[in-house]
């Protein structure tokens, strides 16, 4: 009896697993199509100076709406693409579309601020990454100082040496670098010193508890102090309310990004905020 039950459970388990795999394969195929049809969108989220409120940058964020599956969040399709290698063509598409948007804005008489583009470790470790980056900038007639590259701390630490070499190459091209989700990757000060980065982005999880949570306050203060002593800019991610803004200003944080200042949105949404040539 027990044996019988066990076998049934095993069968049921296998059936659900097969179903999950089938779903994943379907989603993977849909994503592959979307990438080759350039059917992914890039939305832009404002970054601001906390003193003046001035727009200082945008972060480019990938969006995917599939005819069958609907809108799939980046937290689902980015890890999927990381696992099956599609992050490489996906990342190139986002780079190309972001650069093209900068050109469109400029052609329309606007001067957009710098656009930060997320690049995954898997892209960074490819030997042809710098070459591909150069080609895209050239084809889209985009200057290196118009963009910034965002990498995550944990992504770099996985296999640090080749990644660090590429980061230096990016800086040599005249492109700024920021370290995303900072504080979640256990990097040591000595590592940080070796990374040629311009900006640390404090992860949203530490901004959440401001101003009330004493631990979050201590962590944010420590990151700000570290940035000051290493000569690295600090930006707070995920700022959602005025109380957080006040706390960050008081602690001496200069720049921020979050729903309080603007959600990610289509490029045209931001036209009113752009400076004119
Ligand atoms: P990230 O690079 O840390 O981007 C910030 C995420 O926080 C975005 O989520 C943004 O929409 C969200 N966010 C911004 N402000 C707030 C706020 O005030 N409150 C809250 N709750 N959330 C806020 P999104 O767009 O869902 O992207 C999630 C992650 O997916 C990104 O985290 C990034 O790691 C990855 N991602 C998105 N686009 C790309 C891409 O083109 N390439 C790569 N490699 N990764 C990407
Ligand atoms: Mg980012
Ligand atoms: Mg982040
Ligand atoms: Mg993230």
């Amino acid at each position: 009896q027990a044996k019988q039950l066990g076998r049934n459970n095993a069968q049921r388990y296998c059936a659900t697993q097969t179903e999950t795999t089938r779903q994943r394969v379907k989603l993977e195929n849909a994503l592959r199509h979307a990438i080759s049809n350039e059917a992914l969108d890039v939305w832009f989220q404002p970054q601001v100076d906390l003193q003046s409120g001035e727009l200082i940058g945008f972060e480019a964020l990938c969006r995917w709406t599939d005819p069958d599956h609907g809108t799939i969040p980046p937290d689902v399709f980015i890890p999927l693409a990381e696992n099956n290698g599609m992050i490489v063509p996906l990342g190139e598409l986002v780079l190309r579309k972001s650069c093209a948007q900068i050109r469109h804005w400029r052609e329309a008489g606007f001067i957009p601020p710098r656009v930060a583009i997320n690049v995954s470790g898997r892209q960074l470790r490819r030997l042809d990454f710098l070459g591909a980056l150069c080609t895209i900038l050239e084809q889209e007639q985009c200057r290196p100082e118009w963009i910034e590259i965002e990498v995550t701390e944990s992504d770099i630490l996985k296999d640090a040496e080749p990644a660090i070499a590429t980061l230096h190459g990016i800086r040599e091209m005249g492109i700024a670098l920021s370290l995303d989700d900072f504080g979640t990757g256990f990097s040591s000060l000595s590592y940080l010193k070796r990374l040629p980065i311009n900006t640390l982005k404090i992860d949203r999880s530490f901004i959440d508890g401001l101003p009330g949570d004493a631990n979050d306050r201590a962590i944010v203060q420590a990151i700000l102090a570290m940035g000051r002593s290493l000569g690295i800019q600090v930006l707070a991610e995920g700022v959602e309310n005025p109380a957080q803004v006040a706390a960050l200003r008081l602690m001496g944080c200069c720049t921020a990004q979050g729903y309080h200042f603007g959600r990610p949105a289509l490029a045209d949404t931001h036209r009113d905020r752009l400076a004119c040539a």
Side-chain angles (χ1 to χ4, degrees):
Q1 179 81 46
K3 208 170 167 186
Q4 188 68 37
L5 237 159
R7 191 172 303 139
N8 281 343
N9 277 343
Q11 263 168 11
R12 207 169 304 132
Y13 174 73
C14 279
T16 27
Q17 217 192 18
T18 313
E19 181 55 24
T20 313
T21 308
R22 243 173 38 121
Q23 286 295 330
R24 202 199 56 231
V25 170
K26 262 181 72 180
L27 204 61
E28 276 181 343
N29 284 333
L31 182 59
R32 185 174 303 111
H33 267 101
I35 296 168
S36 55
N37 296 330
E38 308 198 344
L40 299 175
D41 296 313
V42 179
W43 285 18
F44 298 86
Q45 183 177 32
Q47 300 177 329
V48 302
D49 178 305
L50 274 173
Q51 288 307 325
S52 64
E54 187 195 352
L55 182 72
I56 55 152
F58 284 121
E59 177 173 2
L61 292 159
C62 188
R63 293 291 180 266
W64 178 30
T65 300
D66 179 78
D68 298 327
H69 299 90
T71 297
I72 297 115
D75 289 333
V76 173
F77 72 80
I78 295 289
L80 186 76
E82 301 256 11
N83 280 327
N84 64 20
M86 279 190 249
I87 193 69
V88 174
L90 183 155
E92 275 197 19
L93 181 60
V94 171
L95 253 168
R96 196 144 27 81
K97 285 201 171 191
S98 302
C99 290
Q101 183 56 55
I102 295 173
R103 184 166 45 78
H104 294 323
W105 270 324
R106 290 195 168 253
E107 281 168 359
F110 298 106
I111 305 173
R114 194 152 68 194
V115 174
I117 301 156
N118 293 286
V119 165
S120 102
R122 240 180 123 151
Q123 283 177 272
L124 215 61
R125 283 188 191 84
R126 286 179 62 97
L127 293 174
D128 60 0
F129 178 76
L130 291 175
L133 184 57
C134 260
T135 306
I136 292 171
L137 289 176
E138 242 169 60
Q139 284 172 344
E140 303 304 331
Q141 297 158 50
C142 193
R143 290 212 213 131
E145 61 269 26
W146 295 348
I147 66 166
E148 176 175 312
I149 301 255
E150 285 193 10
V151 293
T152 65
E153 200 185 358
S154 47
D155 248 3
I156 301 294
L157 296 181
K158 262 177 230 158
D159 179 14
E161 296 315 318
I164 293 175
T166 307
L167 295 185
H168 281 284
I170 294 172
R171 285 300 304 279
E172 273 155 30
M173 285 174 66
I175 299 175
L177 275 175
S178 56
L179 199 54
D180 207 352
D181 304 345
F182 186 73
T184 61
F186 304 104
S187 67
S188 65
L189 270 174
S190 61
Y191 245 118
L192 201 57
K193 203 184 71 178
R194 293 190 50 214
L195 301 181
I197 50 164
N198 306 83
T199 307
L200 290 175
K201 296 186 76 177
I202 308 178
D203 192 67
R204 190 176 76 222
S205 58
F206 306 113
I207 306 301
D208 270 347
L210 297 183
D213 188 300
N215 286 329
D216 283 350
R217 260 195 337 261
I219 290 168
V220 171
Q221 249 151 0
I223 297 175
L224 286 165
M226 197 152 78
R228 270 193 295 271
S229 51
L230 292 174
I232 299 170
Q233 284 243 38
V234 177
L235 179 141
E237 283 195 290
V239 177
E240 296 183 343
N241 61 59
Q244 290 170 330
V245 174
L248 286 164
R249 278 204 190 117
L250 212 60
M251 290 190 271
C253 182
C254 298
T255 58
Q257 175 182 345
Y259 294 167
H260 178 74
F261 304 105
R263 297 200 172 232
L266 283 170
D268 278 348
T269 318
H270 301 296
R271 276 190 172 220
D272 300 351
R273 294 175 83 159
L274 298 181
C276 295

